Amino acid sequence: MDHPPPSDERILSAALRRFAVDGLSASLRRVAEDAEVSAGLIIHHYGSRGALLEACDRRALEVTRREKSSLFAGGSAELFAQLAQTTRYAPVVGYVLRRLQAGGPLAVELVGDFAADAVEYFADGERAGTITPSRDPQARAQVLTEMALGALLLQLPAQRDQLDLEELPAWFEQYSARIIGPILELYSIPLLADRSMLDAYLAATQGDDPAPQTIRPPAGETS
C-alpha cells in the first residue's frame, strides 16, 4: 500500500501550485488548505513565508536542471513548454514563470544556467557550420536568453489574474506557433543590411573590432 507523502513534501507541492496559480503573494492559509494541514505546520516545517519560497526555488532549480539534460534543445522557452506537457511538472513551470516575473535569486540563477547552456550549444553549432561565430559568445548567449525569457513573460496569460495550469500546455503551443516563423527569419536573415553600425559602435567604444574576421557574412554575400 502506498503511503502518503510526508507533511513537509505535501506543503511544498501545494505551495508550488498555489504560488503558480495565484502568484507569490498567495496566502499561506490557502497553501495550508491545499496541503490539508494547519497553517502552524507550515511554520513548523519552514519557519516563514520567505523560507517556504526559498524551498520552492530550490525544488524548481532541481527540476529544471535535472530535466533540461534530456529535454533542452530549443532554449529555455522550449524546455518550459515540454515540461508543462507533463501534469506533475506544470506547477513547477508555473512557479518558475511567476518567480521570473518577480525577480530574485532563482531568476538570476535560471537565466545564468540557460545562458551557459546556450554558449555550449552555439559552440557545437559553430563547429558544425550551422551557426555563425560571435565576437563575444557569452554576451550573445546571455542577451538571447534574456530576450527569450522576457518575451515569454510579456505574453504570460496571468499578468494580474490567476494562471490556469491546465491551459498552460495549450498556451505554450499557441505561443510557439506564433513566434517560430519570425524568430527563424530574424536568425536566418540579418535585420541590418551590413555591419556599419556595429563597426561604428566598436570604433567609438573599443577603438577597433578585436576579431572582425570571426563574423562570417551570410551565404552569397561578400564582406
Side-chain angles (χ1 to χ4, degrees):
M1 182 176 67
D2 293 336
H3 295 286
S7 57
D8 59 336
E9 182 63 27
R10 296 206 314 274
I11 291 169
L12 184 58
S13 296
L16 281 165
R17 175 173 289 276
R18 180 53 56 189
F19 289 140
V21 171
D22 290 345
L24 302 189
S25 61
S27 72
L28 295 186
R29 186 177 299 278
R30 292 297 304 275
V31 173
E33 291 173 356
D34 294 343
E36 298 182 340
V37 300
S38 67
L41 195 57
I42 295 180
I43 302 303
H44 170 75
H45 283 300
Y46 293 99
S48 66
R49 164 187 289 276
L52 179 58
L53 285 167
E54 289 176 4
C56 289
D57 286 359
R58 290 192 297 271
R59 176 59 55 83
L61 280 170
E62 290 170 4
V63 170
T64 54
R65 287 172 175 168
R66 181 179 68 241
E67 297 301 326
K68 72 181 178 184
S69 62
S70 59
L71 294 177
F72 190 91
S76 50
E78 180 64 20
L79 170 68
F80 294 150
Q82 293 183 58
L83 286 176
Q85 301 294 327
T86 305
T87 302
R88 67 192 177 103
Y89 287 146
V92 173
V93 174
Y95 178 82
V96 167
L97 294 175
R98 290 293 198 181
R99 177 52 96 180
L100 288 171
Q101 279 183 317
L106 175 67
V108 174
E109 285 195 59
L110 280 172
V111 173
D113 277 3
F114 285 124
D117 284 329
V119 170
E120 295 181 13
Y121 287 113
F122 288 153
D124 290 341
E126 290 174 17
R127 287 188 287 269
T130 59
I131 291 180
T132 302
S134 170
R135 294 179 53 260
D136 189 338
Q138 179 62 48
R140 176 175 67 175
Q142 185 77 23
V143 168
L144 289 175
T145 299
E146 291 173 356
M147 288 171 59
L149 290 173
L152 183 65
L153 292 178
L154 184 65
Q155 301 298 321
L156 185 65
Q159 297 296 342
R160 293 187 177 86
D161 302 325
Q162 287 189 329
L163 178 62
D164 189 334
L165 297 181
E166 293 184 0
E167 294 294 328
L168 202 55
W171 177 80
F172 268 114
E173 289 181 6
Q174 295 170 2
Y175 175 73
S176 298
R178 182 172 64 80
I179 69 168
I180 190 167
I183 287 292
L184 288 175
E185 178 183 329
L186 183 63
Y187 288 170
S188 303
I189 304 172
L191 180 65
L192 300 177
D194 57 47
R195 54 171 288 162
S196 59
M197 292 182 66
L198 174 61
D199 289 339
Y201 167 77
L202 293 170
T205 59
Q206 301 176 18
D208 293 306
D209 184 349
Q213 70 278 6
T214 64
I215 303 179
R216 299 193 302 269
E221 294 185 12
T222 58
S223 57

